[in-house]
DNA sequence: GCCAACGTTGGC
DNA sequence: GCCAACGTTGGC
């Protein structure tokens, strides 16, 4: 089992506490809502698969360029995903409650855009799908891992991950720049990207897309780069 | 429960 | 490398 390290999501000051174990009630494991205005990934675990049209779409960020975090390279590009056995990998390292809650809302076979962040050319590279629903992220217990979380206990893991599988590259790269231009225009016209999380929740490394957002972005594939 | 200090994200 | 945006921590 490969374990690509991604760097996803903000672990603000995750390390310094640990020993003091202060733990205010901000221990918001379940609270931090998963809601982002217009999307609705808020399924109760109970609602399993009842129905077909309950599918959600996602955008997941990863860094394609080498960068050391606590001495470990956190690079993980879409090419790295393609190079994995079966082109599958676990999406570990998410240390932000909102992002984690989205991971937990993901269902088998749902599709996600693979977004390259913190790099020369940020933007959407391709498509992947969820092949294993949320389960404990083992890296939270590994002391040498950049995303080690000493406050998380084995019998009550804080952080989750999913497994993803490469589906395909987009027919062309959709840059952040292009998405931003659309977003700006759509804010005025009420178009599909008017409230895309990429811009309204800037730092979220795992975010939901509405059907309209997803379809619109896919339609860009067929157009000329702007 | 407020909020300043601090740390991270991620585009530029 | 800079730094704006913003999430988290922890004193009060």
């Amino acid at each position: 089992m490969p374990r690509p390290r991604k760097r996803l999501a903000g672990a603000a000051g995750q390390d310094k506490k640990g020993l003091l174990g202060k733990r205010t009630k901000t221990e918001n494991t379940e609270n931090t809502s998963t809601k982002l205005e217009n999307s609705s990934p808020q399924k109760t675990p109970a609602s399993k698969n009842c129905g077909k049209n309950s599918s959600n779409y996602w955008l997941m960020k990863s860094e394609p360029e080498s960068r050391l975090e606590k001495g470990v390279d956190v690079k993980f590009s879409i090419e790295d995903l393609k190079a994995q056995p079966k082109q599958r990998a676990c999406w570990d390292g998410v240390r932000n409650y909102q992002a984690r809650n989205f991971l937990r809302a993901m269902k088998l076979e749902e599709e996600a855009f693979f977004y390259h962040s913190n790099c020369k050319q940020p933007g959407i590279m391709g498509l992947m799908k969820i092949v294993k629903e949320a389960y404990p992220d083992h890296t939270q217990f590994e002391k040498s891992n950049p995303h080690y979380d000493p406050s998380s206990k084995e019998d009550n893991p804080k952080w989750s991950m999913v497994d993803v599988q490469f589906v395909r590259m987009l027919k062309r790269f959709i840059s952040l720049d292009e998405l931003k231009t659309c977003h700006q225009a759509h804010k005025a016209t009420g178009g599909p990207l008017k409230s895309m999380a990429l811009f309204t929740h800037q730092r979220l490394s795992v975010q939901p897309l509405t059907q309209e957002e997803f379809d619109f972005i896919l339609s860009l594939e067929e157009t000329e780069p702007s």
Side-chain angles (χ1 to χ4, degrees):
Chain A
M1 261 321 190
R3 0 194 146 132
R5 311 195 173 264
K6 280 151 244 76
R7 171 214 189 173
L8 324 166
Q14 197 67 348
D15 27 322
K16 68 137 60 127
K17 59 171 192 210
L19 298 182
L20 319 168
K22 223 342 178 333
R23 195 75 33 100
T24 52
K25 68 312 223 23
T26 314
E27 166 82 343
N28 48 356
T29 36
E30 311 316 325
N31 64 33
T32 324
S33 108
T34 303
K35 288 206 216 58
L36 284 194
E37 295 84 21
N38 51 8
S39 58
S40 49
Q42 194 77 310
K43 313 260 180 275
T44 66
S47 72
K48 262 313 181 184
N49 253 358
C50 57
K52 19 12 325 250
N53 303 333
S54 58
S55 181
N56 294 299
Y57 299 95
W58 310 96
L59 180 148
M60 300 165 82
K61 302 178 184 175
S62 186
E63 300 188 25
E65 295 173 5
S66 284
R67 193 177 59 81
L68 295 186
E69 198 171 310
K70 298 179 186 158
V72 179
D73 193 351
V74 294
K75 164 188 190 294
F76 189 74
S77 68
I78 195 163
E79 295 302 327
D80 292 325
L81 175 60
K82 284 174 71 173
Q84 299 297 321
K86 294 189 187 168
Q87 302 186 315
R88 289 171 59 136
C90 56
W91 204 266
D92 62 346
V94 171
R95 297 293 181 271
N96 166 284
Y97 287 109
Q98 207 178 7
R100 179 204 67 181
N101 291 346
F102 287 129
L103 289 176
R104 291 182 177 179
M106 292 175 174
K107 301 295 183 212
L108 282 181
E109 299 297 316
E110 287 180 348
E111 291 183 297
F113 286 124
F114 195 121
Y115 178 93
H116 278 177
S117 69
N118 202 17
C119 59
K120 207 65 159 290
Q121 296 216 59
I124 297 173
M125 297 296 298
L127 263 181
M128 54 190 174
K129 66 179 181 183
I130 309 306
V131 292
K132 181 172 179 176
E133 294 179 7
Y135 61 108
D137 176 347
H138 53 86
T139 66
Q140 68 197 297
F141 305 118
E142 298 168 3
K143 287 206 174 63
S144 60
N145 191 281
H147 304 117
Y148 173 60
D149 182 356
S151 72
S152 184
K153 297 294 168 254
E154 303 253 7
D155 55 8
N156 186 21
K158 266 192 187 173
W159 306 109
S160 302
M161 64 186 181
V162 297
D163 287 355
V164 298
Q165 183 172 38
F166 177 81
V167 172
R168 66 176 177 87
M169 300 299 284
L170 293 196
K171 295 175 189 166
R172 68 178 182 84
F173 172 69
I174 311 287
S175 70
L176 172 63
D177 219 54
E178 179 171 358
L179 291 168
K180 189 182 294 172
T181 300
C182 292
H183 169 64
Q184 291 300 345
H186 290 186
K187 275 199 294 185
T189 63
L193 299 194
K194 63 178 184 300
S195 50
M196 189 183 183
L198 191 60
F199 305 103
T200 60
H201 298 263
Q202 207 176 72
R203 297 172 47 188
L204 247 197
S205 69
V206 176
Q207 49 186 257
L209 295 174
T210 62
Q211 179 87 55
E212 292 69 32
E213 289 166 342
F214 183 81
D215 290 344
F216 177 80
I217 292 169
L218 277 188
S219 77
L220 291 176
E221 275 190 305
E222 314 295 343
T223 67
E224 290 299 308
S226 59

